[in-house]
PDB file of all heavy atoms in Angstrom:
ATOM      1  N   ASP Y  11      92.868 120.818 110.200  1.00 90.00           N
ATOM      2  CA  ASP Y  11      91.986 119.915 109.310  1.00 90.00           C
ATOM      3  C   ASP Y  11      90.959 120.802 108.528  1.00 90.00           C
ATOM      4  O   ASP Y  11      89.751 120.724 108.657  1.00 90.00           O
ATOM      5  CB  ASP Y  11      91.189 118.957 110.284  1.00 90.00           C
ATOM      6  CG  ASP Y  11      92.011 118.035 110.832  1.00 90.00           C
ATOM      7  OD1 ASP Y  11      93.189 117.714 110.439  1.00 90.00           O
ATOM      8  OD2 ASP Y  11      91.730 117.338 111.929  1.00 90.00           O
ATOM      9  N   PRO Y  12      91.484 121.701 107.655  1.00 90.00           N
ATOM     10  CA  PRO Y  12      90.666 122.617 106.914  1.00 90.00           C
ATOM     11  C   PRO Y  12      89.781 121.786 105.929  1.00 90.00           C
ATOM     12  O   PRO Y  12      90.132 120.690 105.505  1.00 90.00           O
ATOM     13  CB  PRO Y  12      91.564 123.507 106.144  1.00 90.00           C
ATOM     14  CG  PRO Y  12      92.858 122.615 106.047  1.00 90.00           C
ATOM     15  CD  PRO Y  12      92.855 121.809 107.289  1.00 90.00           C
ATOM     16  N   TRP Y  13      88.487 122.453 105.678  1.00 91.00           N
ATOM     17  CA  TRP Y  13      87.665 121.715 104.621  1.00 91.00           C
ATOM     18  C   TRP Y  13      86.814 122.880 103.898  1.00 91.00           C
ATOM     19  O   TRP Y  13      86.604 123.912 104.381  1.00 91.00           O
ATOM     20  CB  TRP Y  13      86.658 120.847 105.493  1.00 91.00           C
ATOM     21  CG  TRP Y  13      85.906 121.480 106.588  1.00 91.00           C
ATOM     22  CD1 TRP Y  13      86.272 121.462 107.911  1.00 91.00           C
ATOM     23  CD2 TRP Y  13      84.669 122.130 106.560  1.00 91.00           C
ATOM     24  NE1 TRP Y  13      85.491 122.091 108.645  1.00 91.00           N
ATOM     25  CE2 TRP Y  13      84.406 122.665 107.931  1.00 91.00           C
ATOM     26  CE3 TRP Y  13      83.823 122.469 105.669  1.00 91.00           C
ATOM     27  CZ2 TRP Y  13      83.345 123.338 108.290  1.00 91.00           C
ATOM     28  CZ3 TRP Y  13      82.617 123.283 105.986  1.00 91.00           C
ATOM     29  CH2 TRP Y  13      82.373 123.560 107.220  1.00 91.00           C
ATOM     30  N   ILE Y  14      86.299 122.328 102.753  1.00 92.00           N
ATOM     31  CA  ILE Y  14      85.494 123.187 101.939  1.00 92.00           C
ATOM     32  C   ILE Y  14      84.196 122.375 101.495  1.00 92.00           C
ATOM     33  O   ILE Y  14      84.337 121.241 101.316  1.00 92.00           O
ATOM     34  CB  ILE Y  14      86.148 123.653 100.613  1.00 92.00           C
ATOM     35  CG1 ILE Y  14      87.231 124.536 100.975  1.00 92.00           C
ATOM     36  CG2 ILE Y  14      85.173 124.268  99.694  1.00 92.00           C
ATOM     37  CD1 ILE Y  14      88.237 124.928  99.792  1.00 92.00           C
ATOM     38  N   VAL Y  27      83.260 113.483  91.295  1.00 96.00           N
ATOM     39  CA  VAL Y  27      83.825 114.620  91.762  1.00 96.00           C
ATOM     40  C   VAL Y  27      85.365 114.753  91.206  1.00 96.00           C
ATOM     41  O   VAL Y  27      86.012 113.794  91.235  1.00 96.00           O
ATOM     42  CB  VAL Y  27      83.877 114.614  93.339  1.00 96.00           C
ATOM     43  CG1 VAL Y  27      84.623 115.827  93.852  1.00 96.00           C
ATOM     44  CG2 VAL Y  27      82.546 114.503  93.885  1.00 96.00           C
ATOM     45  N   ILE Y  29      88.670 117.161  91.432  1.00 88.00           N
ATOM     46  CA  ILE Y  29      89.400 118.166  92.155  1.00 88.00           C
ATOM     47  C   ILE Y  29      90.634 118.632  91.336  1.00 88.00           C
ATOM     48  O   ILE Y  29      91.455 117.801  90.938  1.00 88.00           O
ATOM     49  CB  ILE Y  29      89.817 117.593  93.596  1.00 88.00           C
ATOM     50  CG1 ILE Y  29      88.533 117.350  94.340  1.00 88.00           C
ATOM     51  CG2 ILE Y  29      90.595 118.642  94.173  1.00 88.00           C
ATOM     52  CD1 ILE Y  29      88.813 116.566  95.568  1.00 88.00           C
ATOM     53  N   PHE Y  36     101.494 120.850  99.211  1.00 53.00           N
ATOM     54  CA  PHE Y  36     101.140 120.279 100.431  1.00 53.00           C
ATOM     55  C   PHE Y  36     102.230 120.019 101.441  1.00 53.00           C
ATOM     56  O   PHE Y  36     103.401 119.950 100.895  1.00 53.00           O
ATOM     57  CB  PHE Y  36     100.301 118.916 100.113  1.00 53.00           C
ATOM     58  CG  PHE Y  36      98.955 119.059  99.407  1.00 53.00           C
ATOM     59  CD1 PHE Y  36      98.999 119.132  98.160  1.00 53.00           C
ATOM     60  CD2 PHE Y  36      97.918 119.355 100.104  1.00 53.00           C
ATOM     61  CE1 PHE Y  36      97.815 119.383  97.366  1.00 53.00           C
ATOM     62  CE2 PHE Y  36      96.621 119.513  99.504  1.00 53.00           C
ATOM     63  CZ  PHE Y  36      96.674 119.546  98.094  1.00 53.00           C
ATOM     64  N   SER Y  40     100.040 114.834 103.648  1.00 75.00           N
ATOM     65  CA  SER Y  40      98.702 115.341 103.831  1.00 75.00           C
ATOM     66  C   SER Y  40      97.792 114.330 103.217  1.00 75.00           C
ATOM     67  O   SER Y  40      98.097 113.488 102.263  1.00 75.00           O
ATOM     68  CB  SER Y  40      98.544 116.606 102.960  1.00 75.00           C
ATOM     69  OG  SER Y  40      99.368 117.599 103.498  1.00 75.00           O
ATOM     70  N   LYS Y  41      96.583 114.253 103.810  1.00 84.00           N
ATOM     71  CA  LYS Y  41      95.593 113.445 103.296  1.00 84.00           C
ATOM     72  C   LYS Y  41      94.319 114.259 102.907  1.00 84.00           C
ATOM     73  O   LYS Y  41      93.921 115.100 103.771  1.00 84.00           O
ATOM     74  CB  LYS Y  41      95.097 112.315 104.338  1.00 84.00           C
ATOM     75  CG  LYS Y  41      95.984 111.268 104.536  1.00 84.00           C
ATOM     76  CD  LYS Y  41      95.483 110.138 105.407  1.00 84.00           C
ATOM     77  CE  LYS Y  41      96.458 108.974 105.662  1.00 84.00           C
ATOM     78  NZ  LYS Y  41      95.962 108.120 106.581  1.00 84.00           N
ATOM     79  N   LEU Y  42      93.822 113.965 101.715  1.00 88.00           N
ATOM     80  CA  LEU Y  42      92.664 114.697 101.305  1.00 88.00           C
ATOM     81  C   LEU Y  42      91.538 113.692 101.307  1.00 88.00           C
ATOM     82  O   LEU Y  42      91.728 112.625 100.849  1.00 88.00           O
ATOM     83  CB  LEU Y  42      92.792 115.261  99.842  1.00 88.00           C
ATOM     84  CG  LEU Y  42      93.587 116.526  99.626  1.00 88.00           C
ATOM     85  CD1 LEU Y  42      93.480 116.915  98.278  1.00 88.00           C
ATOM     86  CD2 LEU Y  42      93.025 117.621 100.441  1.00 88.00           C
ATOM     87  N   HIS Y  43      90.369 114.061 101.820  1.00 94.00           N
ATOM     88  CA  HIS Y  43      89.264 113.244 101.883  1.00 94.00           C
ATOM     89  C   HIS Y  43      88.054 113.921 101.039  1.00 94.00           C
ATOM     90  O   HIS Y  43      87.792 115.020 101.267  1.00 94.00           O
ATOM     91  CB  HIS Y  43      88.646 113.025 103.290  1.00 94.00           C
ATOM     92  CG  HIS Y  43      89.787 112.520 104.250  1.00 94.00           C
ATOM     93  ND1 HIS Y  43      89.787 111.138 104.480  1.00 94.00           N
ATOM     94  CD2 HIS Y  43      90.671 113.195 105.086  1.00 94.00           C
ATOM     95  CE1 HIS Y  43      90.735 110.976 105.416  1.00 94.00           C
ATOM     96  NE2 HIS Y  43      91.316 112.146 105.726  1.00 94.00           N
ATOM     97  N   VAL Y  44      87.500 113.128 100.224  1.00 96.00           N
ATOM     98  CA  VAL Y  44      86.195 113.621  99.640  1.00 96.00           C
ATOM     99  C   VAL Y  44      85.116 112.879 100.287  1.00 96.00           C
ATOM    100  O   VAL Y  44      85.068 111.702 100.467  1.00 96.00           O
ATOM    101  CB  VAL Y  44      86.170 113.246  98.151  1.00 96.00           C
ATOM    102  CG1 VAL Y  44      84.764 113.591  97.503  1.00 96.00           C
ATOM    103  CG2 VAL Y  44      87.266 114.084  97.416  1.00 96.00           C
ATOM    104  N   GLN Y  45      84.152 113.710 100.838  1.00 97.00           N
ATOM    105  CA  GLN Y  45      83.084 113.144 101.601  1.00 97.00           C
ATOM    106  C   GLN Y  45      81.709 113.539 101.095  1.00 97.00           C
ATOM    107  O   GLN Y  45      81.607 114.671 100.626  1.00 97.00           O
ATOM    108  CB  GLN Y  45      83.247 113.715 103.055  1.00 97.00           C
ATOM    109  CG  GLN Y  45      84.532 113.332 103.715  1.00 97.00           C
ATOM    110  CD  GLN Y  45      84.713 113.845 105.013  1.00 97.00           C
ATOM    111  OE1 GLN Y  45      84.368 115.164 105.264  1.00 97.00           O
ATOM    112  NE2 GLN Y  45      85.275 113.118 105.974  1.00 97.00           N
ATOM    113  N   ILE Y  46      80.747 112.792 101.345  1.00 97.00           N
ATOM    114  CA  ILE Y  46      79.341 113.032 100.902  1.00 97.00           C
ATOM    115  C   ILE Y  46      78.552 112.999 102.220  1.00 97.00           C
ATOM    116  O   ILE Y  46      78.746 112.155 103.121  1.00 97.00           O
ATOM    117  CB  ILE Y  46      78.794 111.977  99.962  1.00 97.00           C
ATOM    118  CG1 ILE Y  46      79.549 111.881  98.715  1.00 97.00           C
ATOM    119  CG2 ILE Y  46      77.284 112.196  99.654  1.00 97.00           C
ATOM    120  CD1 ILE Y  46      79.463 113.052  97.821  1.00 97.00           C
ATOM    121  N   TRP Y  54      79.028 112.576 107.710  1.00 97.00           N
ATOM    122  CA  TRP Y  54      79.888 112.585 106.544  1.00 97.00           C
ATOM    123  C   TRP Y  54      80.468 111.378 106.361  1.00 97.00           C
ATOM    124  O   TRP Y  54      81.034 110.672 107.217  1.00 97.00           O
ATOM    125  CB  TRP Y  54      80.963 113.713 106.643  1.00 97.00           C
ATOM    126  CG  TRP Y  54      80.391 115.068 106.750  1.00 97.00           C
ATOM    127  CD1 TRP Y  54      80.115 115.853 107.791  1.00 97.00           C
ATOM    128  CD2 TRP Y  54      80.072 115.934 105.531  1.00 97.00           C
ATOM    129  NE1 TRP Y  54      79.688 117.014 107.457  1.00 97.00           N
ATOM    130  CE2 TRP Y  54      79.576 117.119 105.986  1.00 97.00           C
ATOM    131  CE3 TRP Y  54      80.132 115.666 104.250  1.00 97.00           C
ATOM    132  CZ2 TRP Y  54      79.212 118.119 105.206  1.00 97.00           C
ATOM    133  CZ3 TRP Y  54      79.605 116.699 103.361  1.00 97.00           C
ATOM    134  CH2 TRP Y  54      79.116 117.911 103.937  1.00 97.00           C
ATOM    135  N   VAL Y  55      80.297 110.776 105.052  1.00 96.00           N
ATOM    136  CA  VAL Y  55      80.914 109.494 104.603  1.00 96.00           C
ATOM    137  C   VAL Y  55      82.031 109.791 103.591  1.00 96.00           C
ATOM    138  O   VAL Y  55      81.886 110.394 102.670  1.00 96.00           O
ATOM    139  CB  VAL Y  55      79.725 108.742 103.952  1.00 96.00           C
ATOM    140  CG1 VAL Y  55      80.329 107.382 103.397  1.00 96.00           C
ATOM    141  CG2 VAL Y  55      78.590 108.524 104.800  1.00 96.00           C
ATOM    142  N   ASP Y  56      83.221 109.206 104.055  1.00 96.00           N
ATOM    143  CA  ASP Y  56      84.405 109.215 103.062  1.00 96.00           C
ATOM    144  C   ASP Y  56      84.064 108.426 101.821  1.00 96.00           C
ATOM    145  O   ASP Y  56      83.726 107.155 101.940  1.00 96.00           O
ATOM    146  CB  ASP Y  56      85.589 108.622 103.699  1.00 96.00           C
ATOM    147  CG  ASP Y  56      86.465 109.561 104.506  1.00 96.00           C
ATOM    148  OD1 ASP Y  56      86.032 110.795 104.440  1.00 96.00           O
ATOM    149  OD2 ASP Y  56      87.479 109.216 105.122  1.00 96.00           O
ATOM    150  N   VAL Y  57      84.071 108.931 100.654  1.00 96.00           N
ATOM    151  CA  VAL Y  57      84.046 108.219  99.375  1.00 96.00           C
ATOM    152  C   VAL Y  57      85.425 107.938  98.767  1.00 96.00           C
ATOM    153  O   VAL Y  57      85.615 107.209  97.870  1.00 96.00           O
ATOM    154  CB  VAL Y  57      83.028 108.899  98.331  1.00 96.00           C
ATOM    155  CG1 VAL Y  57      81.685 108.829  99.003  1.00 96.00           C
ATOM    156  CG2 VAL Y  57      83.454 110.293  98.118  1.00 96.00           C
ATOM    157  N   ALA Y  58      86.341 108.782  99.138  1.00 95.00           N
ATOM    158  CA  ALA Y  58      87.694 108.621  98.715  1.00 95.00           C
ATOM    159  C   ALA Y  58      88.714 109.331  99.581  1.00 95.00           C
ATOM    160  O   ALA Y  58      88.337 110.325 100.121  1.00 95.00           O
ATOM    161  CB  ALA Y  58      87.914 109.074  97.226  1.00 95.00           C
ATOM    162  N   THR Y  59      89.920 108.693  99.669  1.00 93.00           N
ATOM    163  CA  THR Y  59      91.011 109.439 100.378  1.00 93.00           C
ATOM    164  C   THR Y  59      92.335 109.311  99.620  1.00 93.00           C
ATOM    165  O   THR Y  59      92.570 108.293  98.970  1.00 93.00           O
ATOM    166  CB  THR Y  59      91.272 108.723 101.836  1.00 93.00           C
ATOM    167  OG1 THR Y  59      89.985 108.765 102.570  1.00 93.00           O
ATOM    168  CG2 THR Y  59      92.358 109.347 102.588  1.00 93.00           C
ATOM    169  N   HIS Y  60      92.974 110.357  99.517  1.00 88.00           N
ATOM    170  CA  HIS Y  60      94.288 110.409  98.772  1.00 88.00           C
ATOM    171  C   HIS Y  60      95.324 110.963  99.650  1.00 88.00           C
ATOM    172  O   HIS Y  60      95.170 112.004 100.045  1.00 88.00           O
ATOM    173  CB  HIS Y  60      94.059 111.384  97.463  1.00 88.00           C
ATOM    174  CG  HIS Y  60      95.321 111.202  96.570  1.00 88.00           C
ATOM    175  ND1 HIS Y  60      95.290 110.162  95.695  1.00 88.00           N
ATOM    176  CD2 HIS Y  60      96.277 112.024  96.438  1.00 88.00           C
ATOM    177  CE1 HIS Y  60      96.484 110.345  94.965  1.00 88.00           C
ATOM    178  NE2 HIS Y  60      96.990 111.484  95.303  1.00 88.00           N
ATOM    179  N   GLU Y  61      96.484 110.199  99.719  1.00 81.00           N
ATOM    180  CA  GLU Y  61      97.598 110.480 100.465  1.00 81.00           C
ATOM    181  C   GLU Y  61      98.584 111.108  99.609  1.00 81.00           C
ATOM    182  O   GLU Y  61      98.989 110.508  98.573  1.00 81.00           O
ATOM    183  CB  GLU Y  61      98.184 109.413 101.377  1.00 81.00           C
ATOM    184  CG  GLU Y  61      99.275 109.842 102.272  1.00 81.00           C
ATOM    185  CD  GLU Y  61      99.709 108.840 103.209  1.00 81.00           C
ATOM    186  OE1 GLU Y  61      98.731 108.085 103.801  1.00 81.00           O
ATOM    187  OE2 GLU Y  61     100.914 108.663 103.381  1.00 81.00           O
ATOM    188  N   ILE Y  62      99.102 112.264  99.921  1.00 72.00           N
ATOM    189  CA  ILE Y  62     100.135 113.070  99.129  1.00 72.00           C
ATOM    190  C   ILE Y  62     101.361 113.030 100.023  1.00 72.00           C
ATOM    191  O   ILE Y  62     101.406 113.559 101.152  1.00 72.00           O
ATOM    192  CB  ILE Y  62      99.630 114.579  98.824  1.00 72.00           C
ATOM    193  CG1 ILE Y  62      98.332 114.422  98.186  1.00 72.00           C
ATOM    194  CG2 ILE Y  62     100.656 115.156  98.099  1.00 72.00           C
ATOM    195  CD1 ILE Y  62      97.543 115.655  98.323  1.00 72.00           C
ATOM    196  N   LEU Y  67      99.493 117.826  93.759  1.00 65.00           N
ATOM    197  CA  LEU Y  67      98.406 116.918  93.241  1.00 65.00           C
ATOM    198  C   LEU Y  67      97.669 117.698  92.198  1.00 65.00           C
ATOM    199  O   LEU Y  67      97.042 118.830  92.686  1.00 65.00           O
ATOM    200  CB  LEU Y  67      97.425 116.512  94.393  1.00 65.00           C
ATOM    201  CG  LEU Y  67      96.146 115.812  93.963  1.00 65.00           C
ATOM    202  CD1 LEU Y  67      96.385 114.573  93.278  1.00 65.00           C
ATOM    203  CD2 LEU Y  67      95.129 115.657  95.039  1.00 65.00           C
ATOM    204  N   TRP Y  70      92.357 115.037  90.594  1.00 86.00           N
ATOM    205  CA  TRP Y  70      91.959 113.885  91.167  1.00 86.00           C
ATOM    206  C   TRP Y  70      90.500 113.702  90.883  1.00 86.00           C
ATOM    207  O   TRP Y  70      89.643 114.455  91.111  1.00 86.00           O
ATOM    208  CB  TRP Y  70      92.178 113.912  92.682  1.00 86.00           C
ATOM    209  CG  TRP Y  70      91.856 112.831  93.498  1.00 86.00           C
ATOM    210  CD1 TRP Y  70      91.904 111.426  93.090  1.00 86.00           C
ATOM    211  CD2 TRP Y  70      91.456 112.744  94.851  1.00 86.00           C
ATOM    212  NE1 TRP Y  70      91.443 110.653  94.151  1.00 86.00           N
ATOM    213  CE2 TRP Y  70      91.265 111.373  95.284  1.00 86.00           C
ATOM    214  CE3 TRP Y  70      91.239 113.744  95.870  1.00 86.00           C
ATOM    215  CZ2 TRP Y  70      90.812 111.065  96.549  1.00 86.00           C
ATOM    216  CZ3 TRP Y  70      90.883 113.420  97.200  1.00 86.00           C
ATOM    217  CH2 TRP Y  70      90.599 112.091  97.445  1.00 86.00           C
ATOM    218  N   ILE Y  72      87.102 111.246  91.111  1.00 95.00           N
ATOM    219  CA  ILE Y  72      86.572 110.195  92.094  1.00 95.00           C
ATOM    220  C   ILE Y  72      85.136 109.868  91.485  1.00 95.00           C
ATOM    221  O   ILE Y  72      84.281 110.715  91.365  1.00 95.00           O
ATOM    222  CB  ILE Y  72      86.428 110.706  93.491  1.00 95.00           C
ATOM    223  CG1 ILE Y  72      87.700 111.182  94.018  1.00 95.00           C
ATOM    224  CG2 ILE Y  72      85.698 109.672  94.415  1.00 95.00           C
ATOM    225  CD1 ILE Y  72      87.977 112.600  94.105  1.00 95.00           C
ATOM    226  N   VAL Y  81      78.772 118.043  99.405  1.00 97.00           N
ATOM    227  CA  VAL Y  81      80.095 117.372  99.066  1.00 97.00           C
ATOM    228  C   VAL Y  81      81.036 118.205  99.882  1.00 97.00           C
ATOM    229  O   VAL Y  81      80.930 119.399  99.892  1.00 97.00           O
ATOM    230  CB  VAL Y  81      80.343 117.376  97.514  1.00 97.00           C
ATOM    231  CG1 VAL Y  81      81.762 116.772  97.447  1.00 97.00           C
ATOM    232  CG2 VAL Y  81      79.321 116.615  96.888  1.00 97.00           C
ATOM    233  N   ARG Y  82      81.980 117.483 100.511  1.00 96.00           N
ATOM    234  CA  ARG Y  82      83.002 118.208 101.325  1.00 96.00           C
ATOM    235  C   ARG Y  82      84.362 117.605 100.957  1.00 96.00           C
ATOM    236  O   ARG Y  82      84.454 116.434 100.688  1.00 96.00           O
ATOM    237  CB  ARG Y  82      82.815 117.955 102.777  1.00 96.00           C
ATOM    238  CG  ARG Y  82      83.811 118.698 103.649  1.00 96.00           C
ATOM    239  CD  ARG Y  82      83.367 118.795 105.010  1.00 96.00           C
ATOM    240  NE  ARG Y  82      83.444 117.515 105.697  1.00 96.00           N
ATOM    241  CZ  ARG Y  82      83.200 117.362 107.079  1.00 96.00           C
ATOM    242  NH1 ARG Y  82      82.832 118.447 107.858  1.00 96.00           N
ATOM    243  NH2 ARG Y  82      83.328 116.179 107.606  1.00 96.00           N
ATOM    244  N   VAL Y  83      85.295 118.621 100.757  1.00 93.00           N
ATOM    245  CA  VAL Y  83      86.731 118.197 100.483  1.00 93.00           C
ATOM    246  C   VAL Y  83      87.357 118.645 101.896  1.00 93.00           C
ATOM    247  O   VAL Y  83      87.380 119.740 102.299  1.00 93.00           O
ATOM    248  CB  VAL Y  83      87.386 118.890  99.383  1.00 93.00           C
ATOM    249  CG1 VAL Y  83      88.839 118.403  99.268  1.00 93.00           C
ATOM    250  CG2 VAL Y  83      86.568 118.595  98.113  1.00 93.00           C
ATOM    251  N   LYS Y  84      88.043 117.656 102.628  1.00 92.00           N
ATOM    252  CA  LYS Y  84      88.692 117.902 103.828  1.00 92.00           C
ATOM    253  C   LYS Y  84      90.093 117.503 103.751  1.00 92.00           C
ATOM    254  O   LYS Y  84      90.496 116.406 103.224  1.00 92.00           O
ATOM    255  CB  LYS Y  84      87.953 117.042 104.935  1.00 92.00           C
ATOM    256  CG  LYS Y  84      88.464 117.376 106.370  1.00 92.00           C
ATOM    257  CD  LYS Y  84      87.608 116.471 107.373  1.00 92.00           C
ATOM    258  CE  LYS Y  84      88.269 116.706 108.666  1.00 92.00           C
ATOM    259  NZ  LYS Y  84      88.097 115.626 109.499  1.00 92.00           N
ATOM    260  N   MET Y  85      91.038 118.292 104.397  1.00 88.00           N
ATOM    261  CA  MET Y  85      92.465 117.807 104.562  1.00 88.00           C
ATOM    262  C   MET Y  85      92.745 117.458 105.907  1.00 88.00           C
ATOM    263  O   MET Y  85      92.467 118.176 106.859  1.00 88.00           O
ATOM    264  CB  MET Y  85      93.316 119.100 104.065  1.00 88.00           C
ATOM    265  CG  MET Y  85      94.724 118.716 104.084  1.00 88.00           C
ATOM    266  SD  MET Y  85      95.681 119.999 103.251  1.00 88.00           S
ATOM    267  CE  MET Y  85      96.226 120.807 104.593  1.00 88.00           C
ATOM    268  N   ASP Y  86      93.393 116.377 106.229  1.00 88.00           N
ATOM    269  CA  ASP Y  86      93.906 115.938 107.364  1.00 88.00           C
ATOM    270  C   ASP Y  86      95.271 116.477 107.634  1.00 88.00           C
ATOM    271  O   ASP Y  86      96.293 116.130 106.861  1.00 88.00           O
ATOM    272  CB  ASP Y  86      93.898 114.352 107.502  1.00 88.00           C
ATOM    273  CG  ASP Y  86      94.544 113.830 108.771  1.00 88.00           C
ATOM    274  OD1 ASP Y  86      94.877 114.616 109.602  1.00 88.00           O
ATOM    275  OD2 ASP Y  86      94.516 112.623 108.834  1.00 88.00           O
ATOM    276  N   SER Y  87      95.345 117.570 108.470  1.00 82.00           N
ATOM    277  CA  SER Y  87      96.557 118.292 108.544  1.00 82.00           C
ATOM    278  C   SER Y  87      97.521 117.757 109.720  1.00 82.00           C
ATOM    279  O   SER Y  87      98.386 118.480 110.142  1.00 82.00           O
ATOM    280  CB  SER Y  87      96.371 119.715 108.617  1.00 82.00           C
ATOM    281  OG  SER Y  87      95.576 120.088 109.732  1.00 82.00           O
ATOM    282  N   LEU Y  94      93.925 124.917 102.878  1.00 82.00           N
ATOM    283  CA  LEU Y  94      93.407 124.112 101.881  1.00 82.00           C
ATOM    284  C   LEU Y  94      93.025 125.031 100.689  1.00 82.00           C
ATOM    285  O   LEU Y  94      92.090 125.900 100.891  1.00 82.00           O
ATOM    286  CB  LEU Y  94      92.226 123.215 102.268  1.00 82.00           C
ATOM    287  CG  LEU Y  94      91.534 122.446 101.209  1.00 82.00           C
ATOM    288  CD1 LEU Y  94      92.561 121.442 100.451  1.00 82.00           C
ATOM    289  CD2 LEU Y  94      90.334 121.634 101.758  1.00 82.00           C
ATOM    290  N   LEU Y  96      91.938 125.169  96.704  1.00 80.00           N
ATOM    291  CA  LEU Y  96      91.576 124.434  95.607  1.00 80.00           C
ATOM    292  C   LEU Y  96      91.177 125.228  94.316  1.00 80.00           C
ATOM    293  O   LEU Y  96      90.536 126.328  94.631  1.00 80.00           O
ATOM    294  CB  LEU Y  96      90.307 123.592  95.878  1.00 80.00           C
ATOM    295  CG  LEU Y  96      90.424 122.613  97.112  1.00 80.00           C
ATOM    296  CD1 LEU Y  96      89.006 122.009  97.409  1.00 80.00           C
ATOM    297  CD2 LEU Y  96      91.461 121.547  96.699  1.00 80.00           C
TER     298      LEU Y  96
END
Side-chain angles (χ1 to χ4, degrees):
D11 298 336
W13 53 269
I14 295 173
V27 177
I29 298 172
F36 292 91
S40 297
K41 284 187 182 175
L42 285 183
H43 303 268
V44 174
Q45 301 174 319
I46 301 290
W54 289 98
V55 177
D56 272 358
V57 293
T59 301
H60 188 79
E61 187 167 316
I62 304 155
L67 170 68
W70 182 28
I72 303 104
V81 175
R82 181 167 74 174
V83 180
K84 182 180 177 211
M85 184 167 101
D86 178 357
S87 61
L94 174 59
L96 301 173

